[in-house]
Structures are given as structure tokens and as C-alpha cells.
Amino acid sequence: MGRPRTPLLSRDRIVAAALELADTEGLDAVSIRRLATALGVRGPSLYNHVATKDALLDAMVDTVLGTVDLSMFDGGPDWYTALRTWARSYRTALSHHPNLVPALNQGMGRRPNALRQADAVFGGLVAAGWPRREATQVGALMRFFVTGSTLGSFAGGFPDDATVYRGSYPHLGEAHLLAGKQRDIDDAAFETGLAALLDGLTLKFEVLRASTP
């Protein structure tokens, strides 16, 4: 019987393995050596597909951003619904890989999907009537909001030991219950913040439209 064939090494396979490693152990665990072991190959063979660790991180981030839906910016003046739908898709993509968010926050760089997303959001806002300067600010604001919401869990950060709060924190008598409702609380907080943000932008948009000759 012949020896089992090793699956061909590819950039996509390397990135998938790197994402899995980052998801389970964090970004610091991602290294060429660890990836080579996980993929059953020698380290130097990986450099044929990713030249440096920074290039690997770029590929990881861009792969995740490639899953974000941008179709809502294809046309139409309804920027409110477009931003809301995009923000939800963006958060969902990042929530699957929260350990990757710090790398994403380094900036757009030359990442194709990151630039494609920035182009779609900016273009959609300008097409809907936002001035270019304000459209840039809105895009940045939304990015801050969405990425910030995926950096950690508010509800999950509270110890589930009721004795921690007893006597010293009179308004946190039920805080020990928050961790058990982490997803519901965090999702509701995101939706509350998103609605407030978009409603505030609606007021700003109306002022801008009224002041335009």
C-alpha cells in the first residue's frame, strides 16, 4: 500500500490553519514553526506562499474581511439601512475571530478586502448625499464602533461570584448573573448603540442637507 498523500500546500490552507491557531490560542501563538507543525510540513516551504509573518497577518485579516457583505452599498439613497446592515455583517465576521481584531486595528494597509470595504462604504455614503469629508468621518466612526464592540464582552467581564459585590457595590447586586447572559446582553448593547449612532447621524445629515445651497 502506498504512503498517504499529503494535501498540497496552498496560501488558503496556510491562512485557514493560522486563523484556527489564532482563534484557539491567540495571535501570539501564530508562528511559522507552529504552522509548519500543524500542517505537517517543513517551515521553509511556507515562505513560498507567505514571505513574512506580517504578510500572513495581512492575509488572515483580509480573509475575514472578505466575508463581510458589501452588497447594500451597490446603489440607492438609503444610507441608514445600508450602514446598519453592513455593521451587523461586519460585527458577525469579526465575532468569529475576536483574537484577530487587534491586527485589524492596525489600519487598511494594502489589504484588498479592507480597501474594498472602505471604498464601498465611502462610495455609498457619497452617492446617498453625504459630503466627502463627512462621509470619511462616518466611515471611520462606524469602524471604531464595530471593531470596539468585538474586542471583548461587557457582560462576560463580571465575576459570577455574588460575594464579590456584596456590601461594597450596592448597585451591582445582580451583576453575578451577567456572565450567564453574555450573548444576549452584548447583542442588545450593540443594537442599542447602533440605533443611537445612526439616529444621531440622521440628525447630522439633515443639518448638512439644510445648509447646502
Side-chain angles (χ1 to χ4, degrees):
M1 181 180 295
R3 298 175 61 184
R5 295 182 59 186
T6 301
L8 291 176
L9 198 60
S10 68
R11 183 181 177 88
D12 288 347
R13 187 169 170 239
I14 293 169
V15 171
L19 283 171
E20 183 176 355
L21 189 58
D23 291 343
T24 56
E25 299 185 39
L27 273 181
D28 289 342
V30 178
S31 69
I32 297 299
R33 176 186 234 179
R34 290 291 305 278
L35 281 176
T37 299
L39 293 167
V41 299
R42 293 183 179 275
S45 64
L46 298 182
Y47 290 112
N48 295 324
H49 303 276
V50 285
T52 64
K53 182 175 179 178
D54 285 342
L56 175 61
L57 287 176
D58 280 345
M60 293 164 64
V61 169
D62 216 46
T63 295
V64 172
L65 291 181
T67 67
V68 179
D69 183 11
L70 300 175
S71 63
M72 67 290 298
F73 294 111
D74 288 345
D78 188 2
W79 60 267
Y80 186 107
T81 301
L83 283 183
R84 182 178 60 192
T85 307
W86 165 65
R88 289 170 175 168
S89 178
Y90 193 10
R91 179 176 180 248
T92 296
L94 298 187
S95 68
H96 292 154
H97 307 280
N99 291 337
L100 199 61
V101 175
L104 183 145
N105 278 338
Q106 293 175 5
M108 302 296 172
R110 296 176 180 271
R111 302 162 178 165
N113 286 324
L115 293 172
R116 191 173 295 115
Q117 177 166 259
D119 181 72
V121 175
F122 178 76
L125 289 171
V126 171
W130 281 88
R132 296 174 68 86
R133 184 182 69 175
E134 282 75 12
T136 300
Q137 295 169 356
V138 171
L141 171 63
M142 295 300 295
R143 183 170 178 270
F144 292 154
F145 174 69
V146 175
T147 57
S149 73
T150 60
L151 284 173
S153 167
F154 173 80
F158 286 88
D160 59 3
D161 180 0
T163 63
V164 171
Y165 314 98
R166 191 173 300 144
S168 299
Y169 309 101
H171 303 297
L172 298 179
E174 296 184 349
H176 63 288
L177 302 175
L178 295 178
K181 303 176 181 178
Q182 175 178 331
R183 182 169 182 175
D184 289 343
I185 292 173
D186 290 348
D187 286 351
F190 175 79
E191 290 296 331
T192 298
L194 181 60
L197 193 60
L198 293 175
D199 287 348
L201 289 175
T202 297
L203 294 176
K204 182 177 180 65
F205 185 68
E206 291 172 352
V207 170
L208 289 171
R209 292 291 292 270
S211 63
T212 301

